[in-house]
Amino acid sequence: MMQQTTLNASSRAGSAVQLPAAAVRPVIKAAQRCVTRASLSSSSSASHPQQRCQTRQASQRQTLLSKRGQAQVCHAVILDGKLISRTEVPAFIQRDDMMDQLYRWTLMEGQEAGMRNFGAPMVITPQYQESSLWGFNIGIYREGIKLTDLGVQFDDDIVTKHEFVGKDERGMPLLEGRVDEIKGKHMEIWKLDSIPVDEDLRATIRSYCTALVSALNRYYAFGSVFVDDSQ
């Protein structure tokens, strides 16, 4: 008790107080741990903004690559499918315009009114290749369950397109001028899986394909699938 009083008095007077080594050692270690944590926290806070920025950029790049990779997959899904129909598209036809019109027509006739027009609800999904609309998939449903997928798309075959048509010495047509290679020689309709179909589903597929061919003929005749050719 007397020793504790003496230490307090000496501290108030400003004189140095010598503590035993056993009492000082834990205090020094605790101070060292505090300094280490403060140093790590300072360096971490200085680098975190840059790391977060790099993480966001990497995430955005990965998202774009994933979307781009998904968009370009247009033929890989038909490995187990069945070709329903194929027709050659003339070289002078603008592929992007034709497919865009067929896609919008299918949205109106199939996705918005598939039950009324073809006997089953439909969900339409666009398919892209090299940033161009290359086709679309048609999911056919019954009571909320997908029965099958159809695919409407161009193939990868090449057709040549000449700048103009001239005449040879006998007066016969002669392709002349610059030659361009056009990708997508045929337009195809695929059943994208090997699942067997019943009579109702077969009737739905037949009805849609017949209407699609009629829309394609209107495009060839009038330049638009939305023309009412009954008038």
Side-chain angles (χ1 to χ4, degrees), residues 69-87:
Q70 292 171 1
Q72 290 176 352
V73 174
C74 190
H75 300 287
V77 292
I78 61 176
L79 294 177
D80 296 327
K82 177 182 179 181
L83 180 63
I84 297 175
S85 178
R86 166 186 282 188
T87 180

Side-chain angles (χ1 to χ4, degrees), residues 6-7 9-19:
T6 304
L7 287 173
S10 300
S11 299
R12 286 193 296 268
S15 58
V17 178
Q18 294 183 354
L19 297 177

Side-chain angles (χ1 to χ4, degrees), residues 56 63 68 78 93 99 101 126 167 176 179 229 231:
R56 283 196 301 270
T63 301
R68 195 173 301 158
I78 61 176
I93 294 293
M99 189 58 71
Q101 290 200 32
K167 293 182 179 180
E176 297 178 342
V179 179
D229 56 356
Q231 299 179 352

